[in-house]
Amino acid sequence: MSAHVIADDAEALAVAAALAEEFRAGASARDAERRLPREELDRLSASGLLAVTVPAEHGGADVTAATLAEIFRLLASADGSLAQIPQSHFAYVNVIRRQGTEEQRKFFFAELLAGRRFGNAQSEAGTRHVQDIRTRLAPQPDGSYLLTGVKHYSTGALFADWIPVLARAEEDKLHVAYVPRDASGVTVVDDWDGLGQRTTASGTVRLERVPVPGDRVLPHHLTFEGPQLHGAVAQLLHAAIDAGIAAGALAEAAEFVRTKSRPWFESGVDTAAEDPLLIQRFGELALQVRASEALLREAARTVDAAGADLTDDTAAEASIAVAAAKVQAAQTAVDTASALFEVSGTRSALNSLNLHRHWRDARTHTLHDPTRWKIQHIGRYVLNGTRPPRHGLL
């Protein structure tokens, strides 16, 4: 596999904008048919976008968090499913940046620059809570491991070259094992049947005594032993996806009203787009979307500032800023995608038009982690100066 190498932030944004327009055209049909976006992901890999956070000293563009968030917002405005697939890819690139040895960085950054994709095998079902990880890395006498477990919601694993797997190793410490998609003992099952994000292939990964060399395992538990931005960056991308879904829903609602909706007879106007009550509602929705985008940009700037001067205080500021952006974007995505029907009229509910994909994507993606807990952490920080916890979801 070969891929273009993106030079800088400006090129990354231009490439993302062009791909978003390309992906937008087939998004509805892919969702309706549950047609997995293999060709689109190959285009994404070949474009070089999946390597934009590779450090400059390893040949990458090392783009800012602000640029990365905008890339995801643009892609999600076109296709909420497609944008979700590489979210974990970038989270596990960050693990390599922070915890990889020089040899590990050299190897994996070269893989990324060649267009290789990371999936994820992180979450487990039937455990006590989301951080109750039972997948095990059993150490072997030669320094390698055997990896055993079952993972669910494994977005991107079906399309991946490498599957980062969260597992417990010695002393129950959390590690990430980077496993080839075609490794012996790895089975990826496309059994995702969510009402939204239908083409993410967020199914099951079964790991049966998978051999893993020692140099493909990174100590993820060390990430959380000091000030860190792992959770803030991961959540920033989730917020960007929500903001993008909201923008896409608003744009499609406006196009529908301009071209297909009829005015309500009491309005006294010739077109739905002239209806003062619809104009009012679009103004309200636009304010929500703009607020989401503004908070997303502010959160990204705060993450970038913290990265330049990482302390407990700057990391906390970044996490709180991202939490605020995520709360706003999640609510806006659900509200805007629902209001699409309110402003567009009865015809918009036709299944054949598939306008409901925006709401289904928003409702499904915003279940990733509860915003109510983010509000709690924001409140504690503002009222009592309590820093948010270091657990990767803030």
Side-chain angles (χ1 to χ4, degrees):
M1 181 183 293
S2 62
H4 172 68
V5 177
I6 288 175
D8 53 29
D9 292 66
E11 185 184 4
L13 291 173
V15 170
L19 283 179
E21 287 310 304
E22 179 182 323
F23 296 157
R24 192 184 313 279
S28 179
R30 285 192 297 273
D31 174 89
E33 300 164 13
R34 198 180 178 275
R35 176 161 42 87
L36 299 181
R38 296 183 185 276
E39 292 181 7
E40 289 77 13
L41 285 170
D42 285 344
R43 289 277 295 117
L44 190 63
S45 290
S47 75
L49 278 182
L50 296 183
V52 293
T53 57
V54 170
E57 60 267 28
H58 288 272
D62 202 7
V63 302
T64 64
T67 293
L68 190 61
E70 181 62 6
I71 288 169
F72 272 80
R73 192 195 69 81
L74 287 167
L75 294 175
S77 72
D79 186 335
S81 285
L82 189 52
Q84 173 61 23
I85 292 170
Q87 190 274 337
S88 289
H89 169 96
F90 284 99
Y92 287 105
V93 173
N94 277 348
V95 174
I96 294 169
R97 289 188 62 147
R98 186 171 173 91
Q99 298 303 337
T101 64
E102 184 56 32
E103 284 303 309
Q104 287 170 330
R105 292 190 188 107
K106 181 179 179 180
F107 174 80
F108 280 114
F109 291 155
E111 288 285 281
L112 294 168
L113 290 169
R116 305 286 191 269
R117 293 192 290 265
F118 290 167
N120 97 90
Q122 179 170 290
S123 296
E124 300 180 13
T127 56
R128 291 181 299 118
H129 50 70
V130 70
Q131 294 202 326
D132 181 16
I133 303 297
R134 300 181 184 181
T135 298
R136 305 299 304 189
L137 276 164
Q140 303 301 297
D142 64 357
S144 68
Y145 295 87
L146 289 177
L147 178 63
T148 302
V150 179
K151 297 290 189 174
H152 299 268
Y153 312 117
S154 302
T155 303
L158 191 69
F159 315 113
D161 298 290
W162 293 88
I163 303 176
V165 181
L166 271 186
R168 302 284 179 185
E170 298 94 332
E171 299 180 356
D172 215 35
K173 299 290 188 181
L174 195 63
H175 290 67
V176 179
Y178 290 76
V179 179
R181 163 70 178 80
D182 58 358
S184 173
V186 175
T187 304
V188 181
V189 184
D190 181 20
D191 56 359
W192 169 244
D193 67 347
L195 65 87
Q197 293 191 293
R198 289 177 171 176
T199 62
T200 59
S202 300
T204 302
V205 174
R206 301 186 185 281
L207 307 151
E208 300 178 8
R209 294 177 61 81
V210 179
V212 184
D215 62 358
R216 297 293 179 262
V217 177
L218 279 70
H220 192 34
H221 60 97
L222 297 179
T223 300
F224 308 105
E225 292 188 0
Q228 50 83 34
L229 297 172
H230 178 82
V233 172
Q235 288 293 305
L236 182 72
L237 302 187
H238 282 304
I241 292 167
D242 291 339
I245 291 172
L250 183 62
E252 190 146 9
E255 177 65 15
F256 193 94
V257 170
R258 283 193 298 265
T259 60
K260 296 181 177 66
S261 295
R262 297 182 297 179
W264 184 243
F265 71 95
E266 292 179 284
S267 67
V269 297
D270 294 329
T271 68
E274 297 173 285
D275 184 333
L277 298 183
L278 283 181
I279 290 171
Q280 175 73 20
R281 189 70 180 110
F282 270 96
E284 293 167 350
L285 294 170
L287 283 174
Q288 283 188 266
V289 172
R290 283 173 175 260
S292 295
E293 293 171 354
L295 282 172
L296 181 68
R297 290 191 296 269
E298 176 61 22
R301 285 194 294 267
T302 307
V303 169
D304 282 325
D309 179 24
L310 189 59
T311 67
D312 285 332
D313 288 336
T314 61
E317 284 285 345
S319 288
I320 293 300
V322 171
K326 181 66 169 64
V327 171
Q328 173 70 21
Q331 189 62 58
T332 299
V334 173
D335 288 350
T336 305
S338 177
L340 182 154
F341 304 101
E342 170 198 338
V343 297
S344 300
T346 305
R347 186 183 175 192
S348 65
L350 293 177
N351 193 57
S352 59
L353 296 176
N354 200 26
L355 294 177
H356 49 68
R357 74 184 184 281
H358 299 291
W359 182 86
R360 289 187 288 100
D361 283 347
R363 184 64 284 174
T364 302
H365 182 254
T366 55
L367 297 176
H368 182 271
D369 51 276
T371 56
R372 59 186 177 273
W373 276 99
K374 297 185 188 304
I375 295 171
Q376 281 281 312
H377 292 305
I378 294 169
R380 291 169 183 170
Y381 185 73
V382 171
L383 184 60
N384 298 315
T386 304
R387 296 187 187 116
R390 298 169 177 161
H391 55 40
L393 292 174
L394 275 169

